[in-house]
Each structure stands twice: as structure tokens, then as C-alpha cells.
Amino acid sequence: MSRLYSEEAELYDIAFDWDLSDEAAWLVERLGPECRSVLEPGCGSGRMLAALDAHGLEVVGIDTSEAMLRLARARGCEGVRADMTDFDLGRRFDGAVSVVSTTGVLGIAGLGPHLEAMARHLESGARYLVQQGVFADDAELWRSEWEAERGDTKLHIVWEALDQQRSRSRVAILGGPRTGEVVEEVHVAAYWTVKAWRDVIAASPFTQVACYDEEVEVELDQGGDLLWHELVSSRD
Ligand SMILES: C[S@@+](CC[C@H](N)C(=O)[O-])C[C@H]1O[C@@H](n2cnc3c(N)ncnc32)[C@H](O)[C@@H]1O
């Protein structure tokens, strides 16, 4: 497992701790008025769980990292240790979300089993909103660079795709007790082409009904680095 998801989970939490309230409000709208319970696979430190909880939804997250789950529980959210490609919580949810290209960590081969497991946990007709980059065949590899801080700790983060199956993260600590340290590593990260993504969805128990770029609906064959894919479970 990547160090940023295990022993460096706190650093991850600082690096990704931007305000999700607008995005959560938009997700609640997409999930619909009947939605009361939401599952987030790969919930990490629970930042989206907490933002959805603030809307009065019952939220449950699963993750393989105990360190991440501890942070999610510290936010008052329910976190269960489970592998999102093969899990059984013994119940169904009214909706689900997957945030910040988390499905990419499963690699190309992991998405199909993940969608099968998700379908077993969702009511028929439930929405699964998946935020995942998908790209045209000739698109440039994505790269993102930003700064974050909490208390004395200041971070400079670079996250970039290296090829079709790996990304690299580099977190440089610019302030606080660990100033000067750099946490750098290579992660499994599927680089989805639009066609490969659509083929896996077509073979899954879900139908993609819409795609959004920054909350604006776009064509299903559009590429982009943080698109929201609206999937509907078609399995009873
Ligand atoms: C990119 S982080 C995203 C975390 C969170 N969704 C967020 O928005 O901050 C990916 C998360 O997936 C978790 N993860 C990786 N592989 C997993 C698997 N097979 N099953 C469940 N969680 C997994 C990692 O521990 C990590 O917390």
C-alpha cells in the first residue's frame, strides 16, 4: 500500500483538505431526494463522508487503510476496513460516491470486480457518482500541482500520471516540525481512455446516464481529468 495512504495518512489528509461543501451539496442533488444512505468506497480520511453527513445522510466508508479509517472515525464517520473489489457489508445503500479518481487505484483490471461488488450493495435504480479522469487517446498525461497548510505544516504537492498504469506523488514539507522532508512515491493508477472506461461500464451492472465537468453536463464521450460519471445500478 502507498505510504501516503498508510503511515503518512495525516499528510494525505492535509494535502487533500479543501472545502468540499459545494461539491457535496451538488452530489446530494444528483443522488436524489429518496437517498438516505450513502456508501463511499476508498473513503480515505473521510473528508467527503463528513461533508455528506452534514446534509443529514447516513454515510458509511470502506477503505483498506486502518490509518485512513482512524482519521475518518475521528471526523465522526463510520469506517469499515474492506477491499472495494470484494466486500460484503450485508446491506444495501440508496446511493454511492467515489471521489478524486479513487477508482484509478484499482488499476484497469480492478474496476469490473469493484462495480460488481458495488451493485450488490446498492438498491436497484440507485445512483453511483464516480469522479474519475478519462482521456482522449491523444491527450497529454495529466499533472496537478498545489499547496496546502494546516497549523505550522505547509506542503507543496505534485501529482502526475507517469504512464497508463502509474502515477507519482511528491509531497515536499515546507513548514512545521518536518520541514525539508519529501515524501515521494509511485502509485498504481489506471489512466483511463474514454473508450476503455465506457467498455468496462457497458459490461458492468451499471449504465452511465450522464457525465459532468465541474457540475456542467457534458457528452458521455468527453475526456477530462476530474469528470463525474453518473452511473445507475440496473441489478435487482
Ligand atoms: C486517492 S485516495 C482517496 C481517498 C478519498 N476518497 C478522498 O477523497 O480523499 C484512495 C483511497 O483508496 C484506498 N484504497 C486503495 N485500494 C483500496 C481497495 N482495494 N479497497 C478499499 N480502499 C482502497 C486508499 O487507502 C486511499 O484511502
Side-chain angles (χ1 to χ4, degrees):
M1 181 187 291
S2 296
R3 267 192 308 150
L4 265 188
Y5 304 151
S6 52
E7 64 259 42
E8 297 290 4
E10 295 262 5
L11 277 190
Y12 175 92
D13 190 47
I14 297 172
F16 284 78
D17 192 19
W18 54 78
D19 182 9
L20 287 175
S21 49
D22 286 352
E23 207 160 22
W26 179 79
L27 284 170
V28 169
E29 234 175 75
R30 302 278 8 117
L31 290 166
E34 307 299 318
C35 179
R36 294 273 172 270
S37 57
V38 179
L39 174 64
E40 187 190 354
C43 62
S45 54
R47 62 204 188 101
M48 183 55 89
L49 291 177
L52 293 173
D53 177 74
H55 286 264
L57 295 172
E58 181 206 356
V59 292
V60 177
I62 63 170
D63 205 287
T64 42
S65 162
E66 198 51 48
M68 286 289 204
L69 290 169
R70 268 196 299 276
L71 294 172
R73 289 176 197 131
R75 287 191 157 104
C77 301
E78 183 178 347
V80 178
R81 191 162 189 182
D83 183 328
M84 62 175 145
T85 61
D86 183 16
F87 61 100
D88 181 5
L89 302 182
R91 60 167 292 190
R92 288 179 187 255
F93 294 81
D94 302 327
V97 299
S98 172
V99 187
V100 78
S101 290
T102 290
T103 44
V105 305
L106 301 174
I108 299 284
L111 183 61
H114 168 63
L115 292 174
E116 289 288 338
M118 289 301 290
R120 292 195 294 273
H121 288 81
L122 287 173
E123 301 291 353
S124 183
R127 253 65 183 161
Y128 180 20
L129 276 300
V130 182
Q131 189 180 39
Q132 173 66 55
V134 299
F135 303 93
D137 291 348
D138 58 355
E140 283 184 14
L141 293 176
W142 61 267
R143 181 177 196 280
S144 194
E145 184 170 355
W146 71 99
E147 300 208 334
E149 58 182 86
R150 182 183 292 162
D152 290 344
T153 302
K154 291 189 174 42
L155 307 178
H156 178 266
I157 304 113
V158 176
W159 210 295
E160 61 187 352
L162 292 180
D163 55 33
Q164 307 306 310
Q165 303 180 62
R166 297 174 311 154
S167 67
R168 182 183 73 102
S169 63
R170 182 178 191 281
V171 181
I173 305 176
L174 307 179
R178 295 176 62 188
T179 298
E181 284 186 46
V182 174
V183 176
E184 186 166 6
E185 59 187 350
V186 172
H187 308 255
V188 171
Y191 190 85
W192 285 101
T193 64
V194 173
K195 180 174 182 327
W197 173 262
R198 290 182 59 72
D199 286 350
V200 175
I201 303 298
S204 82
F206 290 89
T207 304
Q208 181 158 354
V209 295
C211 184
Y212 303 88
D213 189 2
E214 294 188 353
E215 303 175 16
V216 175
E217 186 162 1
V218 296
E219 297 293 323
L220 293 185
D221 58 1
Q222 178 167 317
D225 63 355
L226 277 178
L227 297 177
W228 279 104
H229 306 272
E230 184 171 341
L231 310 183
V232 177
S233 163
S234 46
R235 183 169 295 171
D236 288 332

